[in-house]
């Protein structure tokens, strides 16, 4: 399974493509796509260039990043690594 991720153009936050084409901030709210359908959905999402930058697919297993980029994507989904009192980490102690 794969999900689509990128960064919001205005504030730079990591976002994921959720149900009904909405952008969501929590990886667990992202919509997962079968591998063969994910490329077509990514192309459609990339047309929304006024909203999100640098869209790409990531592998997920049970809603969590997996594969060779699992560590990078786990860090991206959690927020800043230097201050745990800020961002998503502060919201999920």
């Amino acid at each position: 399974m794969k999900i689509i991720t990128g960064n919001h153009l205005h504030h730079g936050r990591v976002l994921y493509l959720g149900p009904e084409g909405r952008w969501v901030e929590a990886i667990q709210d992202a919509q997962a796509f079968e591998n063969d359908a994910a490329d077509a959905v990514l192309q459609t999402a990339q047309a929304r260039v006024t909203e999100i930058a640098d869209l790409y697919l990531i592998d997920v297993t049970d809603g969590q990043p997996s594969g060779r980029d699992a560590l990078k994507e786990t860090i991206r989904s959690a927020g800043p690594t230097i201050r745990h009192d800020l961002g998503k980490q502060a919201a999920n102690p």
Side-chain angles (χ1 to χ4, degrees), residues 3-34:
I3 61 175
I4 297 172
T5 185
N7 294 83
H8 192 277
L9 282 175
H10 186 71
H11 49 62
R13 289 188 195 121
V14 175
L15 295 178
Y16 305 94
L17 187 62
E20 300 176 12
R22 293 179 297 113
W23 295 110
V24 296
E25 290 191 21
I27 194 169
Q28 61 268 20
D29 295 335
Q31 182 174 356
F33 300 95
E34 295 291 336

Side-chain angles (χ1 to χ4, degrees), residues 13-93:
R13 289 188 195 121
V14 175
L15 295 178
Y16 305 94
L17 187 62
E20 300 176 12
R22 293 179 297 113
W23 295 110
V24 296
E25 290 191 21
I27 194 169
Q28 61 268 20
D29 295 335
Q31 182 174 356
F33 300 95
E34 295 291 336
N35 293 346
D36 53 348
D39 288 323
V41 177
L42 176 63
Q43 286 183 334
T44 301
Q46 286 174 328
R48 298 166 67 177
V49 295
T50 60
E51 301 170 23
I52 308 293
D54 299 325
L55 287 174
Y56 61 93
L57 297 169
I58 60 172
D59 293 317
V60 292
T61 302
D62 297 326
Q64 295 299 314
S66 61
R68 65 184 183 108
D69 293 325
L71 178 60
K72 176 184 103 171
E73 295 304 332
T74 300
I75 292 169
R76 283 183 77 240
S77 70
T81 58
I82 55 169
R83 292 205 36 205
H84 299 287
D85 60 327
L86 299 175
K88 296 176 187 176
Q89 294 170 339
N92 299 313

